Short mmCIF file of all heavy atoms in Angstrom, two decimals:
data_model
loop_
_atom_site.label_atom_id
_atom_site.label_comp_id
_atom_site.label_asym_id
_atom_site.label_seq_id
_atom_site.Cartn_x
_atom_site.Cartn_y
_atom_site.Cartn_z
N VAL A 696 8.11 15.27 9.13
CA VAL A 696 7.40 15.42 7.83
C VAL A 696 6.10 16.20 7.98
O VAL A 696 5.76 17.09 7.20
CB VAL A 696 7.06 14.04 7.23
CG1 VAL A 696 6.16 14.14 6.02
CG2 VAL A 696 8.38 13.33 6.84
N GLU A 697 5.37 15.95 9.10
CA GLU A 697 4.15 16.69 9.37
C GLU A 697 4.46 18.18 9.56
O GLU A 697 3.74 19.02 9.07
CB GLU A 697 3.46 16.13 10.67
CG GLU A 697 2.89 14.76 10.45
CD GLU A 697 2.46 14.11 11.78
OE1 GLU A 697 2.47 14.84 12.78
OE2 GLU A 697 2.19 12.89 11.76
N ALA A 698 5.55 18.47 10.29
CA ALA A 698 5.96 19.86 10.54
C ALA A 698 6.30 20.56 9.18
O ALA A 698 5.91 21.69 8.96
CB ALA A 698 7.13 19.89 11.47
N LEU A 699 6.97 19.83 8.30
CA LEU A 699 7.32 20.38 7.02
C LEU A 699 6.08 20.70 6.19
O LEU A 699 5.98 21.75 5.57
CB LEU A 699 8.20 19.38 6.24
CG LEU A 699 8.58 19.79 4.83
CD1 LEU A 699 9.44 21.11 4.83
CD2 LEU A 699 9.36 18.70 4.13
N LYS A 700 5.10 19.83 6.25
CA LYS A 700 3.84 20.03 5.45
C LYS A 700 3.12 21.25 5.99
O LYS A 700 2.64 22.06 5.17
CB LYS A 700 2.97 18.77 5.52
CG LYS A 700 1.82 18.84 4.54
CD LYS A 700 1.26 17.49 4.29
CE LYS A 700 0.24 17.53 3.12
NZ LYS A 700 -0.32 16.21 2.81
N MET A 701 2.99 21.40 7.28
CA MET A 701 2.27 22.53 7.82
C MET A 701 3.07 23.85 7.61
O MET A 701 2.51 24.91 7.40
CB MET A 701 1.97 22.33 9.32
CG MET A 701 0.93 21.22 9.57
SD MET A 701 -0.58 21.39 8.59
CE MET A 701 -1.22 22.90 9.33
N ALA A 702 4.37 23.77 7.66
CA ALA A 702 5.21 24.97 7.37
C ALA A 702 5.00 25.37 5.94
O ALA A 702 4.93 26.55 5.64
CB ALA A 702 6.71 24.63 7.65
N ASN A 703 4.86 24.41 5.02
CA ASN A 703 4.67 24.73 3.63
C ASN A 703 3.31 25.47 3.47
O ASN A 703 3.22 26.41 2.73
CB ASN A 703 4.65 23.40 2.82
CG ASN A 703 4.51 23.68 1.33
OD1 ASN A 703 5.10 24.63 0.85
ND2 ASN A 703 3.73 22.88 0.66
N GLU A 704 2.29 25.01 4.18
CA GLU A 704 0.97 25.65 4.09
C GLU A 704 1.06 27.08 4.61
O GLU A 704 0.47 28.00 4.06
CB GLU A 704 -0.06 24.87 4.86
CG GLU A 704 -0.43 23.54 4.24
CD GLU A 704 -0.86 23.68 2.84
OE1 GLU A 704 -1.66 24.60 2.52
OE2 GLU A 704 -0.37 22.92 1.94
N ALA A 705 1.79 27.27 5.73
CA ALA A 705 1.93 28.60 6.32
C ALA A 705 2.65 29.56 5.37
O ALA A 705 2.27 30.71 5.20
CB ALA A 705 2.67 28.49 7.66
N ILE A 706 3.70 29.03 4.73
CA ILE A 706 4.47 29.92 3.82
C ILE A 706 3.67 30.26 2.56
O ILE A 706 3.69 31.39 2.09
CB ILE A 706 5.78 29.18 3.40
CG1 ILE A 706 6.77 29.25 4.61
CG2 ILE A 706 6.42 29.81 2.17
CD1 ILE A 706 8.03 28.47 4.39
N LYS A 707 2.86 29.31 2.11
CA LYS A 707 1.97 29.58 0.93
C LYS A 707 0.97 30.67 1.25
O LYS A 707 0.40 31.32 0.36
CB LYS A 707 1.25 28.33 0.48
CG LYS A 707 2.14 27.34 -0.25
CD LYS A 707 1.33 26.30 -1.00
CE LYS A 707 0.47 25.47 -0.05
NZ LYS A 707 -0.22 24.42 -0.78
N SER A 708 0.61 30.85 2.55
CA SER A 708 -0.38 31.81 2.89
C SER A 708 0.08 33.26 2.84
O SER A 708 -0.79 34.17 2.80
CB SER A 708 -0.86 31.54 4.36
OG SER A 708 -1.37 30.23 4.48
N GLY A 709 1.36 33.49 2.86
CA GLY A 709 1.81 34.88 2.90
C GLY A 709 2.75 35.18 1.72
O GLY A 709 3.00 34.37 0.87
N ASN A 710 3.28 36.41 1.73
CA ASN A 710 4.24 36.84 0.72
C ASN A 710 5.67 36.66 1.27
O ASN A 710 6.17 37.51 1.99
CB ASN A 710 4.00 38.33 0.40
CG ASN A 710 3.23 38.46 -0.87
OD1 ASN A 710 3.08 37.59 -1.65
ND2 ASN A 710 2.65 39.69 -1.05
N TYR A 711 6.27 35.54 0.94
CA TYR A 711 7.60 35.26 1.47
C TYR A 711 8.57 35.05 0.29
O TYR A 711 8.20 34.52 -0.72
CB TYR A 711 7.58 33.98 2.33
CG TYR A 711 6.72 34.10 3.57
CD1 TYR A 711 5.42 33.63 3.58
CD2 TYR A 711 7.22 34.70 4.74
CE1 TYR A 711 4.63 33.76 4.71
CE2 TYR A 711 6.41 34.81 5.85
CZ TYR A 711 5.12 34.36 5.83
OH TYR A 711 4.34 34.49 6.92
N HIS A 712 9.82 35.47 0.50
CA HIS A 712 10.85 35.22 -0.51
C HIS A 712 11.05 33.70 -0.61
O HIS A 712 10.98 32.97 0.37
CB HIS A 712 12.16 35.87 -0.10
CG HIS A 712 12.11 37.36 -0.05
ND1 HIS A 712 11.78 38.08 -1.18
CD2 HIS A 712 12.32 38.28 0.90
CE1 HIS A 712 11.82 39.37 -0.91
NE2 HIS A 712 12.08 39.50 0.36
N TYR A 713 11.26 33.24 -1.83
CA TYR A 713 11.53 31.81 -2.13
C TYR A 713 10.32 30.93 -1.72
O TYR A 713 10.52 29.72 -1.47
CB TYR A 713 12.78 31.34 -1.41
CG TYR A 713 14.03 32.09 -1.82
CD1 TYR A 713 14.64 32.94 -0.92
CD2 TYR A 713 14.56 31.97 -3.10
CE1 TYR A 713 15.77 33.69 -1.30
CE2 TYR A 713 15.68 32.68 -3.50
CZ TYR A 713 16.30 33.53 -2.56
OH TYR A 713 17.41 34.23 -2.93
N ALA A 714 9.09 31.47 -1.72
CA ALA A 714 7.95 30.66 -1.35
C ALA A 714 7.73 29.54 -2.34
O ALA A 714 7.46 28.39 -1.95
CB ALA A 714 6.70 31.53 -1.28
N ILE A 715 7.84 29.82 -3.66
CA ILE A 715 7.63 28.79 -4.66
C ILE A 715 8.72 27.73 -4.54
O ILE A 715 8.47 26.51 -4.60
CB ILE A 715 7.64 29.44 -6.09
CG1 ILE A 715 6.40 30.28 -6.25
CG2 ILE A 715 7.64 28.33 -7.15
CD1 ILE A 715 6.34 31.01 -7.57
N GLU A 716 9.99 28.18 -4.35
CA GLU A 716 11.08 27.24 -4.24
C GLU A 716 10.87 26.29 -3.00
O GLU A 716 11.19 25.09 -3.10
CB GLU A 716 12.44 27.97 -4.16
CG GLU A 716 12.85 28.66 -5.44
CD GLU A 716 12.15 30.01 -5.63
OE1 GLU A 716 11.34 30.43 -4.77
OE2 GLU A 716 12.45 30.64 -6.63
N PHE A 717 10.43 26.90 -1.92
CA PHE A 717 10.20 26.05 -0.71
C PHE A 717 9.08 25.06 -0.96
O PHE A 717 9.15 23.96 -0.51
CB PHE A 717 9.87 26.98 0.48
CG PHE A 717 9.68 26.22 1.77
CD1 PHE A 717 10.76 25.82 2.51
CD2 PHE A 717 8.42 25.78 2.18
CE1 PHE A 717 10.68 25.12 3.67
CE2 PHE A 717 8.27 25.05 3.35
CZ PHE A 717 9.36 24.72 4.10
N GLU A 718 8.04 25.49 -1.66
CA GLU A 718 6.93 24.62 -1.94
C GLU A 718 7.40 23.42 -2.80
O GLU A 718 7.02 22.29 -2.60
CB GLU A 718 5.81 25.37 -2.66
CG GLU A 718 4.55 24.58 -2.84
CD GLU A 718 3.41 25.41 -3.42
OE1 GLU A 718 3.56 26.65 -3.45
OE2 GLU A 718 2.36 24.84 -3.76
N ILE A 719 8.23 23.70 -3.81
CA ILE A 719 8.78 22.62 -4.66
C ILE A 719 9.62 21.65 -3.84
O ILE A 719 9.49 20.44 -3.91
CB ILE A 719 9.57 23.23 -5.82
CG1 ILE A 719 8.68 23.98 -6.77
CG2 ILE A 719 10.34 22.12 -6.55
CD1 ILE A 719 9.43 24.73 -7.86
N LEU A 720 10.49 22.22 -2.98
CA LEU A 720 11.37 21.38 -2.17
C LEU A 720 10.58 20.52 -1.23
O LEU A 720 10.78 19.33 -1.13
CB LEU A 720 12.30 22.29 -1.33
CG LEU A 720 13.09 21.57 -0.23
CD1 LEU A 720 14.05 20.56 -0.85
CD2 LEU A 720 13.88 22.61 0.58
N SER A 721 9.57 21.10 -0.55
CA SER A 721 8.80 20.32 0.41
C SER A 721 8.00 19.27 -0.29
O SER A 721 7.85 18.13 0.19
CB SER A 721 7.84 21.23 1.25
OG SER A 721 7.01 21.88 0.41
N SER A 722 7.48 19.56 -1.50
CA SER A 722 6.71 18.60 -2.28
C SER A 722 7.59 17.40 -2.67
O SER A 722 7.18 16.25 -2.63
CB SER A 722 6.15 19.22 -3.53
OG SER A 722 5.16 20.14 -3.22
N LYS A 723 8.86 17.69 -3.03
CA LYS A 723 9.79 16.61 -3.40
C LYS A 723 10.00 15.66 -2.16
O LYS A 723 9.99 14.45 -2.30
CB LYS A 723 11.16 17.19 -3.80
CG LYS A 723 11.13 17.80 -5.18
CD LYS A 723 12.53 18.32 -5.50
CE LYS A 723 12.61 18.95 -6.93
NZ LYS A 723 13.92 19.50 -7.21
N ILE A 724 10.19 16.28 -1.00
CA ILE A 724 10.45 15.49 0.19
C ILE A 724 9.21 14.69 0.59
O ILE A 724 9.27 13.49 0.89
CB ILE A 724 10.93 16.37 1.35
CG1 ILE A 724 12.26 17.01 1.04
CG2 ILE A 724 10.99 15.59 2.65
CD1 ILE A 724 12.71 18.05 2.03
N LEU A 725 8.05 15.38 0.57
CA LEU A 725 6.80 14.73 1.03
C LEU A 725 6.36 13.62 0.11
O LEU A 725 5.63 12.74 0.56
CB LEU A 725 5.70 15.79 1.13
CG LEU A 725 5.90 16.81 2.21
CD1 LEU A 725 4.87 17.94 2.10
CD2 LEU A 725 5.86 16.21 3.61
N ASN A 726 6.75 13.64 -1.12
CA ASN A 726 6.36 12.65 -2.08
C ASN A 726 7.51 11.68 -2.44
O ASN A 726 7.42 10.93 -3.40
CB ASN A 726 5.83 13.29 -3.35
CG ASN A 726 4.51 13.99 -3.10
OD1 ASN A 726 3.51 13.37 -2.94
ND2 ASN A 726 4.55 15.30 -3.05
N ALA A 727 8.57 11.73 -1.66
CA ALA A 727 9.77 10.95 -2.02
C ALA A 727 9.52 9.45 -1.89
O ALA A 727 10.12 8.66 -2.62
CB ALA A 727 10.96 11.40 -1.19
N LYS A 728 8.74 9.03 -0.92
CA LYS A 728 8.57 7.60 -0.66
C LYS A 728 7.12 7.34 -0.39
O LYS A 728 6.37 8.18 0.08
CB LYS A 728 9.40 7.15 0.53
CG LYS A 728 10.91 7.25 0.31
CD LYS A 728 11.70 6.77 1.55
CE LYS A 728 11.43 5.31 1.78
NZ LYS A 728 12.23 4.82 2.94
N LYS A 729 6.64 6.15 -0.67
CA LYS A 729 5.30 5.78 -0.45
C LYS A 729 4.93 5.87 1.02
O LYS A 729 3.82 6.14 1.39
CB LYS A 729 4.99 4.31 -0.87
CG LYS A 729 4.81 4.22 -2.36
CD LYS A 729 4.26 2.84 -2.74
CE LYS A 729 3.94 2.75 -4.21
NZ LYS A 729 3.40 1.50 -4.62
N HIS A 730 5.93 5.70 1.89
CA HIS A 730 5.72 5.81 3.33
C HIS A 730 5.19 7.18 3.71
O HIS A 730 4.47 7.33 4.73
CB HIS A 730 7.06 5.54 4.07
CG HIS A 730 6.97 5.69 5.55
ND1 HIS A 730 6.27 4.83 6.33
CD2 HIS A 730 7.47 6.60 6.37
CE1 HIS A 730 6.35 5.19 7.62
NE2 HIS A 730 7.11 6.26 7.68
N PHE A 731 5.49 8.22 2.92
CA PHE A 731 5.08 9.57 3.25
C PHE A 731 3.86 10.04 2.44
O PHE A 731 3.43 11.15 2.56
CB PHE A 731 6.23 10.54 2.92
CG PHE A 731 7.42 10.37 3.79
CD1 PHE A 731 8.71 10.52 3.32
CD2 PHE A 731 7.28 10.00 5.13
CE1 PHE A 731 9.82 10.38 4.14
CE2 PHE A 731 8.37 9.82 5.94
CZ PHE A 731 9.64 10.02 5.45
N GLU A 732 3.24 9.12 1.67
CA GLU A 732 2.12 9.57 0.82
C GLU A 732 0.93 9.97 1.65
O GLU A 732 0.23 10.91 1.32
CB GLU A 732 1.77 8.48 -0.19
CG GLU A 732 2.78 8.37 -1.30
CD GLU A 732 2.41 7.27 -2.30
OE1 GLU A 732 1.30 6.68 -2.15
OE2 GLU A 732 3.21 6.98 -3.20
N GLU A 733 0.62 9.17 2.69
CA GLU A 733 -0.52 9.53 3.53
C GLU A 733 -0.04 10.14 4.81
O GLU A 733 0.16 9.50 5.79
CB GLU A 733 -1.35 8.26 3.84
CG GLU A 733 -1.96 7.63 2.60
CD GLU A 733 -2.97 8.54 1.93
OE1 GLU A 733 -3.62 9.34 2.66
OE2 GLU A 733 -3.14 8.47 0.73
N ILE A 734 0.19 11.47 4.74
CA ILE A 734 0.71 12.16 5.91
C ILE A 734 -0.44 12.76 6.68
O ILE A 734 -1.29 13.48 6.15
CB ILE A 734 1.65 13.29 5.48
CG1 ILE A 734 2.81 12.70 4.72
CG2 ILE A 734 2.15 14.06 6.70
CD1 ILE A 734 3.65 13.67 3.99
N PRO A 735 -0.58 12.49 7.98
CA PRO A 735 -1.73 12.96 8.75
C PRO A 735 -1.76 14.50 8.84
O PRO A 735 -0.71 15.18 8.88
CB PRO A 735 -1.47 12.38 10.15
CG PRO A 735 -0.45 11.34 9.99
CD PRO A 735 0.36 11.69 8.83
N TYR A 736 -2.97 15.04 8.79
CA TYR A 736 -3.14 16.48 9.02
C TYR A 736 -2.61 16.78 10.40
O TYR A 736 -2.78 16.06 11.37
CB TYR A 736 -4.62 16.81 8.94
CG TYR A 736 -5.00 18.12 9.57
CD1 TYR A 736 -4.74 19.31 8.93
CD2 TYR A 736 -5.60 18.15 10.82
CE1 TYR A 736 -5.09 20.51 9.49
CE2 TYR A 736 -5.92 19.35 11.39
CZ TYR A 736 -5.69 20.52 10.76
OH TYR A 736 -6.03 21.70 11.34
N TYR A 737 -1.95 17.91 10.55
CA TYR A 737 -1.35 18.30 11.82
C TYR A 737 -1.85 19.63 12.31
O TYR A 737 -1.99 20.58 11.51
CB TYR A 737 0.19 18.39 11.68
CG TYR A 737 0.88 18.91 12.92
CD1 TYR A 737 1.10 18.07 14.04
CD2 TYR A 737 1.33 20.24 12.96
CE1 TYR A 737 1.72 18.55 15.15
CE2 TYR A 737 1.98 20.69 14.10
CZ TYR A 737 2.17 19.85 15.17
OH TYR A 737 2.78 20.35 16.28
N ASN A 738 -2.20 19.72 13.57
CA ASN A 738 -2.54 21.02 14.13
C ASN A 738 -1.85 21.18 15.46
O ASN A 738 -1.85 20.28 16.29
CB ASN A 738 -4.08 21.10 14.38
CG ASN A 738 -4.52 22.48 14.79
OD1 ASN A 738 -4.46 22.81 15.95
ND2 ASN A 738 -4.95 23.30 13.89
N LYS A 739 -1.29 22.34 15.68
CA LYS A 739 -0.45 22.54 16.88
C LYS A 739 -1.25 22.68 18.17
O LYS A 739 -0.66 22.55 19.28
CB LYS A 739 0.42 23.80 16.72
CG LYS A 739 -0.36 25.13 16.62
CD LYS A 739 0.56 26.25 16.33
CE LYS A 739 -0.19 27.57 16.24
NZ LYS A 739 0.67 28.71 15.91
N ASP A 740 -2.56 22.84 18.08
CA ASP A 740 -3.41 22.93 19.25
C ASP A 740 -3.76 21.56 19.75
O ASP A 740 -4.71 20.97 19.35
CB ASP A 740 -4.68 23.74 18.93
CG ASP A 740 -5.50 24.07 20.18
OD1 ASP A 740 -5.15 23.57 21.26
OD2 ASP A 740 -6.49 24.78 20.06
N ILE A 741 -2.96 21.02 20.67
CA ILE A 741 -3.13 19.63 21.11
C ILE A 741 -4.36 19.47 22.02
O ILE A 741 -4.82 18.37 22.25
CB ILE A 741 -1.88 19.13 21.88
CG1 ILE A 741 -1.61 20.02 23.14
CG2 ILE A 741 -0.68 19.07 20.99
CD1 ILE A 741 -0.48 19.49 24.02
N LEU A 742 -4.91 20.61 22.50
CA LEU A 742 -6.11 20.52 23.37
C LEU A 742 -7.40 20.58 22.56
O LEU A 742 -8.50 20.47 23.16
CB LEU A 742 -6.08 21.70 24.35
CG LEU A 742 -4.87 21.75 25.31
CD1 LEU A 742 -4.98 22.97 26.24
CD2 LEU A 742 -4.83 20.47 26.17
N LYS A 743 -7.31 20.72 21.25
CA LYS A 743 -8.50 20.82 20.44
C LYS A 743 -9.20 19.45 20.47
O LYS A 743 -8.60 18.40 20.34
CB LYS A 743 -8.16 21.19 18.99
CG LYS A 743 -9.33 21.43 18.08
CD LYS A 743 -8.89 21.95 16.74
CE LYS A 743 -8.36 23.37 16.86
NZ LYS A 743 -8.04 23.96 15.57
#
């Protein structure tokens, strides 16, 4: 879920085909259950 959320942010940053559709899809998944409502911020730099 964290990976999906960060992928969504990356796609929103550029000009990609189906960017809006992907954003809608990811939003549906991320908000599907209360368990996913508070999703931690994710950064790939584990040494930060």
Side-chain angles (χ1 to χ4, degrees):
V696 172
E697 291 169 11
L699 177 63
K700 191 162 189 177
M701 292 308 295
N703 184 40
E704 291 305 316
I706 286 175
K707 285 195 299 184
S708 300
N710 261 342
Y711 297 96
H712 294 301
Y713 301 110
I715 293 176
E716 290 81 0
F717 183 83
E718 188 173 349
I719 292 173
L720 171 63
S721 61
S722 293
K723 286 181 179 178
I724 295 173
L725 293 171
N726 291 286
K728 294 180 66 177
K729 281 191 174 181
H730 177 68
F731 294 144
E732 285 181 6
E733 295 297 329
I734 299 167
Y736 162 79
Y737 174 77
N738 186 277
K739 65 186 180 183
D740 188 354
I741 60 174
L742 299 178
K743 185 174 290 185

